[in-house]
Amino acid sequence: MSDPGKQQSLMRRVSQKAANKLRRRTSSASYDPEERPGPVFVRHRSGSATGEGRLGIQRHDSFDDDDESAVIIDQVDGPSDPNAVSSDKIKTVPLPGHRQIDPSVGVIVPEQLQIGTAMTRITRKKKVKRIFKLDVNKARVSWDPTKQTSRFYVDDMKDIRTGANARNYREELQVSSAEEDRWITIIYIDSEGGKLKLLHVIAPSAELFKVWTSTLEAIHRYRTEMMAGLAMQGEKFVEAHWKRYMANLQASTSQPAKADRVSFEDVERLCRSIHVNCSRKFLKEKFKRADRDNSGYLNFQEFERFVKLLKERDEIKEMWEEYVVNPGVGMYRNEFRAFLREVQMVDVDTDSAQVDKVFRKFCRQSSKMNQTESVSRSHIDDINEMRMNREAFAAFLLSSSYNPPLLAATTAQCLDHPLNEYYCSSSHNTYLMGRQVRGESSVEAYIKVLQRGCRCVEIDCWDGDDGRPVVTHGHTGTSQCLFSDVISAIGKYAFISSPYPVILSLEVHCSLEQQVKMAEHLVNILGDSLVCESLMSNSFTLPSPQELKHRILVKVKGSRQQEYKNGFLRSNTSSSSNATSESDDFGSVAGEKKKPPKVATKIAHELGKLGVYCRGEKFRNFALPESKTFNHVFSFQENSFLKFCKDSEKKFQLEKHNVRYLMRVYPSGFRVNSSNFDPLGFWRRGVQMVALNWQTYDLGVQLNEAMFASANDRSGYVLKPKILRGRNLDFPSDSADAKVKKDKKQVTFSIEVISAQQLPRPKDHRSEDSIDPFVEVEVFSADDKAKGTSTGEGGVDLSDSKGVSGLGAPQKRRTNVVRDDGFHPLFKETMKFSLVTKFEELVFVRFSVYDAQGGDDKSLIATYTAKLISLQQGYRHLPLYDVQGEQYLFSTLFVKVKVDPMTLIDRELPQRGSTTIESLKTSAKSVLSRGFSGDRRSVRRKGDKDKSKESEASQDEKQLHDSKRLLISPPTPESAS
């Protein structure tokens, strides 16, 4: 007999699902799915020299005090293609036969584009003329009305490449160079399947080439401004939205619309189209408050008021009343500085002038927002009399330029160590766009990861049928691309996001003849950026990232004409293995059956000699000569690595090796869906190059992006924890002493999840479907294998004993569900976390926003992951990313972060010298607490601090470390955790 309690529980879940689905259909507003208001994601353009190009992220000293706000579009789009006409050149007086998209902006669309123009479409199979048309209302380009796939939306464009920027595609498709000045490659996301697609066309004339490229760029920029502007403070874009909607309303109805006014249904339709996903009741209440004459319609002035009411933030109003003595008057300079110092943990004294500059800027923005305020010019010039109003304060909190969520990187100070002392952002099977077995190989994959800050890319090289080496996943159904095209793309985009070295990890399966061609391509295409010989003779340490700026290294196995001499690779003869397969298995583990050796591929001398600082070696034993050469690299598959680490002594030898030498770990071949492992388990062992499948935006890639992220740049290199780097004399002498060296620390912090802003609809939602959001917060560390090492309180506990992390059971908690509000859900829930860790640098926090769908069902909306030591304290707006890793243009999560000073965990010590030991403990806590909290208080200009402070702190730590070696007796030998 079935359990009645389970039946009731099942019925309850079914009822919740049914009720939720019925509740989603409460709106009467209709919405055409093809009618798009504008882009949803931030566009990362290949021509950008500013790196990541997030919305609002710019150097704060690049703005004028009088600027009302940063120009949104320059951060979102980056610079235009040099061959395309800029959008301001086509904002001219309308000509006969032309049509404007919007009267307030004046982007002109030539009538010939709307009627259609003939252009030649190029594919691998054919070259055919098609009529390309631009639908202005839907912002859509189509070239075959009989096929749904023969079209793309301007909002989905990722890039427009022309001329030399698209040369690799023209050459690959074997089109004459005479067509280069009229060649257009458009990269876009397929609206149906979400895949990256390319459209190659040749315009019949230079004039039509310019018209098409400049018009598409102008439309995209304008529509991005419209969408991003709604999320900003102020009503700068209200008039543009109003005029565009009125024009569309006139065009879409047979009867003329009532002049200059909109009904509630019109307003609801507009809100749904621009991702204002809230309840009908909420919209109705704001509409009634704005409808001052109770006519049931809104004129333009009332519509402005409606937008202002819609964007009200009650939680910021509460903050305003808490931190400002006289909220009705405004925030004075001393109150602003106190807020930054005590709440945001900003070191205002270090950069006092910059703090005043920011305050003055937002005070002047306040006066622009409040035109009725009569303040004399003398008061405006006196900073102590200036006042910031609540709207400007909200704008400051929203600004990722002036109130960024992450600390600024100090790359200039910490990139002068040898290369082996850094974690390097690395990619596996970089050429693949999707799955491992049937995926597509493309140079776009290399461009994408280099734009995102990757510094080590993998290239699998095979013989091409026509004598030209190709890049593909061998013995699978994946497509292929030319090796020369890949190298050309890397040469162009290697230093887009970071000036620091790029490592090309070659897996060579080519014949000797085609290997020589590979070497020729590397030398000829990369030129002076390629490292072909050592920078300094008689040096037996790797150069630093700083010394290798704008240089490209090759990781490849050596030829038989090379030998080891004094710890370095020399030319002549060699007896070492030169197999090129990545699978450098730990085959010498005692007690195991050895697998038959793989057939070695000989390496041509011309190619092998390019492995100057990254010579691939097959692992046999840590005691052999090849394990002592400073420029060798071992590569291991994840399972082999983990199996080796089960033995404490072998694990200790591996960690000791990684202090001085390079190692690379890559995913198992059984991950055919391109999933990833948890990189924390490999970072904690000192592995420098933890290679991941970047085409899958899962937990592994999210942690990797957080590892290398900072507020102002993304160098792709992060200094390893001190115990995992430095000279061997600083490393434990044996595995028993290893536990003594790695001190445990207590890390405690709290996160208040306050609210979310303008959440997008999940992919399968209709415009009238409600969104019921909640937020999950997960904490990952490199020590969560042991139970009881982390605790949490607040919110709803979701921690799983098995966990999703490869290391064990991370903490996971969530907020309550907010019903029917995806526009501005208020959570106001505080969660506190405490964990014990040996690596405070490897603690990560992931925020996941879900839509509750009844019962236990949920749909992921967006995520954001950050490294705890990089996360700024105080009130911060976190950017949000979709399941593909694309940043939303207007969605954020508002949180408050508070991190307590870190302390050492007390351990059992010898009885002798108790007074000295207690003094040592006090010094340890003081040193570590000062270092941890001090790092977190420096927010924008941390890199300008005096290096002498760092040197002094380093000496303190060294003295503490040396003293502890004398006082602490080693524990009983056992497996290092």
Side-chain angles (χ1 to χ4, degrees), residues 737-784:
D737 193 36
K739 279 193 172 184
V740 178
K741 297 289 185 173
K742 297 176 183 176
D743 293 313
K744 294 182 179 180
K745 300 101 180 177
Q746 185 84 36
V747 177
T748 306
F749 62 97
S750 66
I751 293 175
E752 181 184 2
V753 181
I754 303 172
S755 63
Q757 290 71 48
Q758 206 172 343
L759 297 175
R761 284 185 298 274
K763 190 174 182 180
D764 58 344
H765 270 45
R766 300 190 311 178
S767 61
E768 65 268 26
D769 289 350
S770 69
I771 296 180
D772 305 328
F774 66 91
V775 180
E776 287 185 1
V777 180
E778 296 169 275
V779 178
F780 300 92
S781 76
D783 304 84
D784 61 4

Side-chain angles (χ1 to χ4, degrees), residues 647-702:
D647 184 287
S648 61
E649 183 60 35
K650 292 182 175 65
K651 178 174 62 178
F652 167 75
Q653 292 297 332
L654 184 146
E655 292 183 11
K656 187 175 181 180
H657 168 275
N658 291 344
V659 169
R660 291 193 62 184
Y661 310 112
L662 293 174
M663 182 174 287
R664 179 177 181 267
V665 173
Y666 58 93
S668 166
F670 291 104
R671 295 181 180 271
V672 293
N673 61 346
S674 296
S675 61
N676 289 292
F677 50 66
D678 184 341
L680 284 171
F682 305 96
W683 286 331
R684 76 198 295 258
R685 304 295 175 212
V687 178
Q688 294 87 354
M689 293 175 278
V690 179
L692 299 171
N693 293 310
W694 283 47
Q695 62 270 39
T696 305
Y697 194 68
D698 55 11
L699 174 63
V701 171
Q702 291 167 26

Side-chain angles (χ1 to χ4, degrees), residues 552-591:
I552 295 176
L553 306 177
V554 174
K555 172 187 167 293
V556 66
K557 301 205 173 185
S559 70
R560 293 188 180 275
Q561 298 183 35
Q562 297 170 310
E563 67 172 1
Y564 307 106
K565 185 176 181 181
N566 296 329
F568 193 69
L569 189 66
R570 303 294 183 185
S571 296
N572 282 325
T573 62
S574 174
S575 60
S576 68
S577 169
N578 64 338
T580 62
S581 172
E582 265 194 321
S583 184
D584 289 356
D585 206 344
F586 290 96
S588 59
V589 180

Side-chain angles (χ1 to χ4, degrees), residues 416-465:
D416 53 0
H417 293 250
L419 199 62
N420 54 282
E421 297 192 8
Y422 293 88
Y423 296 122
C424 174
S425 184
S426 306
S427 166
H428 171 250
N429 286 355
T430 313
Y431 47 88
L432 290 179
M433 300 292 290
R435 296 170 65 89
Q436 299 289 310
V437 179
R438 300 292 300 176
E440 178 186 356
S441 303
S442 173
V443 296
E444 288 301 323
Y446 289 93
I447 294 172
K448 188 173 183 179
V449 300
L450 290 170
Q451 286 178 308
R452 291 164 62 186
C454 183
R455 297 291 86 190
C456 177
V457 297
E458 184 181 17
I459 309 176
D460 285 6
C461 312
W462 296 78
D463 281 347
D465 294 335

